């Protein structure tokens, strides 16, 4: 991931395209360009039989320039930064401020690409990409552009509720569980099968102990850490989905029938005051429960 600053001074995180994916996208475009060039050579060779040889040579040079320079410029301008190869690999060229690529930038990239790939066989592009933090080639440096990946990496499926812990999880008090600790547990479960047994147990006991200090009641005796964490996260996700479902099905409190509690003119604008909120712990710093995680014997 990398950060770009937009013209409105807003920091946006983008995923910079890696060198292997960019190289594969270039090979796809390169194959398409060579196919068009070979077709142009065949057509010009047929036309040279009935036309002047110098005219045929001029047409061939024109076709080669249009294919090698015009192909990337036209595609990146019309499709907002995507050629056929980049479209197949889920890549896009954007400005350094995160905006869409402009014709001037696409033209700089096309002209520099002719020298990088068609004159020096890609050596300058490879060296510059390895030295640059964002993997930019010379055309990107001159044009002020970056190639990003639009396809997000595949995420691990959410943890499922262990059937034996479903009834216990329904009684959990989860208001003290902060989001960052829940994300830590989710990352641990997503990598659980990749860890060594020793690391798996040590990390599981540590994360489960931190969560059990925020969640009550404690788990039943003999529950392994990964099952405990899966039950907590699955119950948390179930309650969140129920809350969102109720929010979608509840009609808005305003509109033609939303002011029936107090008529206009009764108190100010007739909108009932919100009930006072009870004092509680700050967000993300829930109370510590007395129950702790009991590791299985």
């Amino acid at each position: 991931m990398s950060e770009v600053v937009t013209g409105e001074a807003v920091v946006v995180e983008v995923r910079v395209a890696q060198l292997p994916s960019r190289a594969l996208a270039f090979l796809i475009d390169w194959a398409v360009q060579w196919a068009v060039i070979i077709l142009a050579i065949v057509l010009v060779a047929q036309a040279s039989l009935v036309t002047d040889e110098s005219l045929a040579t001029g047409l061939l040079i024109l076709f080669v320039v249009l294919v090698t320079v015009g192909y990337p410029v036209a595609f990146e301008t019309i499709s907002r930064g995507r050629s056929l190869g980049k479209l197949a690999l889920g890549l896009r060229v954007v400005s350094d401020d995160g905006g869409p690529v402009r014709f001037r930038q696409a033209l700089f990239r096309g002209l520099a690409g002719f020298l990088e790939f068609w004159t020096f066989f890609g050596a300058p592009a490879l060296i510059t990409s390895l030295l640059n933090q964002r993997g930019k080639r010379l055309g990107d440096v001159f044009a002020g552009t970056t190639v990003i990946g639009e396809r997000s990496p595949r995420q691990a499926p959410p943890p499922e509720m262990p059937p034996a812990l479903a009834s216990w999880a329904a009684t959990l008090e989860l208001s003290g569980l902060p989001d960052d600790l829940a994300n830590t547990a989710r990352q641990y479960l997503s990598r659980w099968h990749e860890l060594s047994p020793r690391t798996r147990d040590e990390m599981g006991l540590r994360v489960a102990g931190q969560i059990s200090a925020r969640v009550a009641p404690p788990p039943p005796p003999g529950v392994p850490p990964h099952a405990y964490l899966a039950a907590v996260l699955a119950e948390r996700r179930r309650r969140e989905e129920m809350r969102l479902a109720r929010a979608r099905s509840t009609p808005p409190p305003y509109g033609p029938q939303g002011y029936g509690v107090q008529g206009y003119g009764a108190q100010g604008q007739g909108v009932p005051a919100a009930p006072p909120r009870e004092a509680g712990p700050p967000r993300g710093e829930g109370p510590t429960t007395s129950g702790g995680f009991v590791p299985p014997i």
Side-chain angles (χ1 to χ4, degrees):
M1 299 294 288
S2 180
E3 294 182 348
V4 297
V5 181
T6 65
E8 292 78 16
V10 178
V11 179
V12 180
E13 284 192 353
V14 296
R15 189 167 61 92
V16 178
Q18 300 299 317
L19 182 60
S21 59
R22 294 189 61 176
L24 184 57
F26 167 75
L27 290 178
I28 295 175
D29 292 328
W30 184 76
V32 174
Q33 288 174 291
W34 266 112
V36 177
I37 289 176
I38 293 175
L39 178 62
I41 292 176
V42 173
L43 294 178
V44 170
Q46 296 295 328
S48 62
L49 300 177
V50 295
T51 59
D52 186 22
E53 183 177 355
S54 59
L55 178 60
T57 304
L59 289 176
L60 182 60
I61 295 175
L62 178 62
F63 276 121
V64 171
V65 172
L66 288 178
V67 172
T68 55
V69 179
Y71 169 88
V73 174
F75 267 98
E76 292 179 2
T77 303
I78 297 174
S79 63
R80 292 181 174 269
R82 292 184 297 182
S83 61
L84 293 179
K86 293 181 177 63
L87 182 63
L89 272 295
L91 307 181
R92 182 189 292 270
V93 182
V94 297
S95 301
D96 283 340
D97 59 358
V101 64
R102 294 180 287 273
F103 172 75
R104 174 180 56 83
Q105 295 172 316
L107 181 60
F108 270 105
R109 296 186 81 256
L111 294 175
F114 179 81
L115 296 176
E116 292 178 275
F117 299 112
W118 296 92
T119 304
F120 296 101
F121 305 101
L126 178 61
I127 296 174
T128 308
S129 298
L130 293 175
L131 296 178
N132 191 276
Q133 293 182 351
R134 293 189 176 182
K136 291 186 174 185
R137 62 177 179 87
L138 288 179
D140 294 316
V141 175
F142 295 151
T145 56
T146 304
V147 181
I148 64 173
E150 294 186 308
R151 297 176 184 172
S152 58
R154 179 179 297 179
Q155 298 181 353
E160 298 181 358
M161 172 67 70
L165 300 177
S167 58
W168 165 80
T171 65
L172 288 176
E173 173 57 44
L174 300 175
S175 59
L177 180 60
D179 294 338
D180 55 349
L181 190 54
N183 290 332
T184 301
R186 189 176 296 108
Q187 292 175 5
Y188 163 74
L189 291 178
S190 65
R191 299 175 53 199
W192 185 78
H193 296 284
E194 304 174 1
L195 302 175
S196 63
R198 181 178 178 180
T199 304
R200 180 191 307 166
D201 296 338
E202 293 178 354
M203 185 179 298
L205 287 173
R206 183 173 66 252
V207 177
Q210 294 174 354
I211 288 186
S212 64
R214 304 272 186 171
V215 174
V223 176
H226 68 275
Y228 168 70
L229 296 175
V232 172
L233 295 182
E235 178 65 19
R236 189 172 187 261
R237 186 182 72 254
R238 184 186 71 85
R239 297 183 185 182
E240 183 67 18
E241 291 175 353
M242 291 179 59
R243 185 187 65 81
L244 294 176
R246 288 195 300 266
R248 294 191 186 101
S249 61
T250 302
Y254 45 82
Q257 300 177 355
Y259 298 100
V261 179
Q262 296 181 8
Y264 279 104
Q267 293 181 2
Q269 295 297 327
V271 180
R277 297 180 59 184
E278 297 181 358
R283 181 178 179 87
E285 300 180 2
T288 302
T289 63
S290 58
F293 178 76
V294 180
I297 299 176

